[in-house]
Amino acid sequence: QAKAGGRNTVRFFDPDMQAAVSARSELESDLRHGLQHGEFLLHYQPVVDSAGRLLGAEALVRWQHPRRGLVPPSEFIPLAEQTGLILPLGRWVLEAACRQLVVWAQSAVTRPFFLSVNVSVRQFRQPEFAEQVLGALQASGANPERLKLELTESLMATDVEEVIQRMEQLRERGVGFSLDDFGTGYSSLSYLKRLPLEQLKIDRGFVRDVLADANDAAIVRTILALAQSLDLQVVAEGVETTGQLEFLRRLGCPAFQGYLFGRPVPATVLERAFRPAP
Ligand code: C2E
Ligand code: MG
Ligand code: MG
Ligand code: MG
């Protein structure tokens, strides 16, 4: 019996562990297969101003799995990051988002509109990342001024000088940067000042209980003040109720994203929101 081993014995036949390992390797080979067979797609969630007008959207990847149906990113992004599959996947996301920007630029959408794309740390740290972004913009003909890349604070645990340099390289070409899930990481304020950022996104964890929890309200107030003094745009994420919206508005929050305004949806569904209300 494998289980009878001593302290330092590896228990090769632990059935739970084995099940987890084989589920993981199945998911990994499904991911590879899915990438080769075009099973990924983007949904888009609106970002609006305090009058509810559309400012832009965030592209959020989904996986149309042949057996499991539509799989959310929480179920495959972590594994994609561990296995490195995030590199080809992230590249596909960038290219698809740029193509969508062009479709929207050529349709009746005339007002300035940004599209945000999430970029994982591993993806950003590739030496050829800037070239990849510029290549996707060029190949599609998308306007770099309309593209925003969402980074997370975990990036600052890496070589910050390199991060700044890479951001500046893209910034010079017009690409904007947003710091996602702001407040959940450990970014030093001195770095924050040095990064060529355009936008902060207040993590939805602070928005959720902003009405009931004085600490969360204080954090939101602080982030808004910080954004103002650093001259950054700010978006509150995860706004689900009119109560939250009213409260955030009173604190001076200028832009919002959340189920209250719209869930992530296919491009054609989001397009209906482009048309001004009658
Ligand atoms: P995120 O970038 O912070 O995206 C916002 C997430 O919050 C989305 O989840 C969105 O559907 C969800 N959300 C928006 N409004 C609300 C709300 O009012 N209430 C609640 N409860 N949730 C709301 P989603 O699409 O499941 O994505 C989860 C995370 O997966 C994203 O968080 C992002 O970190 C990652 N992700 C998504 N797409 C990509 C991608 O293309 N590349 C990379 N590297 N990561 C991605
Ligand atoms: Mg995001
Ligand atoms: Mg976020
Ligand atoms: Mg997140």
Side-chain angles (χ1 to χ4, degrees):
Q1 232 200 338
K3 223 184 154 191
R7 258 203 314 149
N8 298 317
T9 309
V10 179
R11 293 181 295 151
F12 288 106
F13 304 113
D14 181 323
D16 287 347
M17 196 165 123
Q18 195 152 35
V21 167
S22 75
R24 197 188 123 107
S25 75
E26 187 187 316
L27 189 64
E28 183 181 342
S29 70
D30 279 8
L31 262 177
R32 263 179 227 288
H33 180 274
L35 270 166
Q36 280 158 7
H37 292 82
E39 291 173 6
F40 292 88
L41 63 143
L42 295 179
H43 278 181
Y44 301 88
Q45 187 178 31
V47 176
V48 303
D49 69 12
S50 58
R53 281 179 300 239
L54 197 67
L55 297 171
E58 177 174 4
L60 294 155
V61 71
R62 268 91 182 100
W63 182 10
Q64 187 66 62
H65 190 283
R67 291 181 317 277
R68 298 166 198 241
L70 201 63
V71 184
S74 58
E75 287 174 33
F76 62 86
I77 292 280
L79 185 64
E81 281 176 355
Q82 285 161 33
T83 54
L85 288 170
I86 194 68
L87 303 181
L89 177 61
R91 185 177 187 150
W92 177 83
V93 168
L94 264 170
E95 290 168 355
C98 286
R99 286 192 296 268
Q100 189 59 58
L101 260 177
V102 174
V103 170
W104 283 334
Q106 288 170 347
S107 69
V109 191
T110 47
R111 84 179 81 107
F113 179 91
F114 66 79
L115 183 56
S116 296
V117 173
N118 293 284
V119 175
S120 77
V121 174
R122 189 154 175 184
Q123 197 187 348
F124 186 87
R125 298 212 61 210
Q126 299 170 96
E128 65 277 20
F129 179 71
E131 274 166 59
Q132 217 177 80
V133 175
L134 297 173
L137 285 164
Q138 212 156 30
S140 60
N143 180 354
E145 307 276 347
R146 297 214 172 184
L147 181 66
K148 242 191 246 310
L149 301 180
E150 295 196 358
L151 308 176
T152 54
E153 289 170 274
S154 46
L155 203 59
M156 300 215 234
T158 66
D159 183 346
V160 178
E161 297 308 321
E162 191 184 86
V163 168
I164 293 172
Q165 199 195 344
R166 194 156 298 160
M167 285 174 78
E168 269 164 1
Q169 200 182 339
L170 285 163
R171 196 69 207 97
E172 278 164 21
R173 310 293 282 269
V175 177
F177 288 93
S178 176
L179 203 52
D180 203 0
D181 306 336
F182 186 69
T184 58
Y186 298 91
S187 46
S188 129
L189 295 182
S190 61
Y191 286 149
L192 195 60
K193 202 179 70 179
R194 293 182 55 211
L195 298 180
L197 286 170
E198 212 167 51
Q199 185 184 80
L200 295 180
K201 297 186 82 169
I202 303 175
D203 188 70
R204 77 164 187 269
F206 303 118
V207 171
R208 190 188 308 121
D209 300 322
V210 78
L211 289 170
D213 186 329
N215 291 325
D216 286 344
I219 290 168
V220 169
R221 225 179 263 118
T222 304
I223 296 175
L224 288 169
L226 184 70
Q228 192 165 38
S229 64
L230 295 177
D231 201 20
L232 297 172
Q233 304 160 11
V234 57
V235 178
E237 298 193 271
V239 181
E240 293 183 353
T241 68
T242 51
Q244 291 167 337
L245 174 63
E246 279 319 310
F247 191 85
L248 291 163
R249 256 194 196 137
R250 272 201 302 277
L251 295 182
C253 186
F256 312 89
Q257 182 178 346
Y259 295 168
L260 182 63
F261 305 100
R263 294 192 176 240
V265 288
T268 50
V269 177
L270 185 74
E271 280 160 21
R272 293 178 207 146
F274 290 155
R275 297 185 204 110

